Amino acid sequence: MKGKGKYRFDNYLGVVGKDGFSSGCFYFEVQVKGQTQWHLGVTRESVNRKDRISLSPENGYWIVGWRYGEYQARDSPDYSFSLSVDPQRVGVFVDYEKGLVSFNDVESMCHICSYTDQSFNEKLYPFISLGYLWNANSTRLIICDDY
């Protein structure tokens, strides 16, 4: 891809899915079992991928994550929460027109968190990350296709 360097993240160990969407509903699952640090969700096509990025809706990232022993709905400890069971596989559901991004624990079928009443005005893409700068855990995050 011409100019692909501009699409790479400088500091996050993250990737953006190749297929985006700009209408309707979209769903995918990510296996997080065994990983000690992760972020996943969706991101806008035009997001900043350089330098230190705040993974927040204001910057085009609708994510949930596990970092420093806490679940986070944004890249800030101010938005941390706890779950009764650690999910092994997380489902991400997006309704573009309703402005909804919702996360659930696939095995227990429990809701994790949601972003509601969001305004999407460009293509959204799946996003997964193993953290900022480094991750000593070699366990992979796997986008599943067997649901």
Side-chain angles (χ1 to χ4, degrees), residues 86-139:
D86 291 334
Q88 305 298 299
R89 192 166 178 163
V90 176
V92 181
F93 173 78
V94 179
D95 186 321
Y96 194 94
E97 281 75 22
K98 288 185 178 177
L100 171 69
V101 181
S102 185
F103 302 88
N104 67 295
D105 179 338
V106 173
E107 291 177 1
S108 71
M109 296 174 49
C110 291
H111 178 257
I112 296 174
C113 72
S114 293
Y115 294 94
T116 59
D117 301 320
Q118 302 296 301
S119 294
F120 304 129
N121 56 10
E122 62 183 272
K123 244 181 196 183
L124 296 178
Y125 290 83
F127 168 77
I128 61 172
S129 171
L130 289 170
Y132 182 73
L133 292 180
W134 65 277
N135 184 325
N137 185 330
S138 63
T139 304

Side-chain angles (χ1 to χ4, degrees), residues 13 31-38 129-131 134-142:
L13 307 174
Q31 181 177 307
V32 297
K33 180 180 180 179
Q35 186 45 255
T36 52
Q37 181 176 209
W38 49 266
S129 171
L130 289 170
W134 65 277
N135 184 325
N137 185 330
S138 63
T139 304
R140 297 178 184 170
L141 294 179
I142 300 170

Side-chain angles (χ1 to χ4, degrees), residues 12 38-40 53-67 70-81 103 113-115 118:
Y12 274 91
W38 49 266
H39 297 99
L40 60 92
I53 306 161
S54 174
L55 300 178
S56 66
E58 294 80 19
N59 293 320
Y61 293 89
W62 292 268
I63 60 103
V64 69
W66 171 253
R67 189 172 88 168
E70 294 182 321
Y71 290 98
Q72 300 174 340
R74 290 210 244 178
D75 191 29
S76 166
D78 296 335
Y79 299 95
S80 62
F81 57 93
F103 302 88
C113 72
S114 293
Y115 294 94
Q118 302 296 301

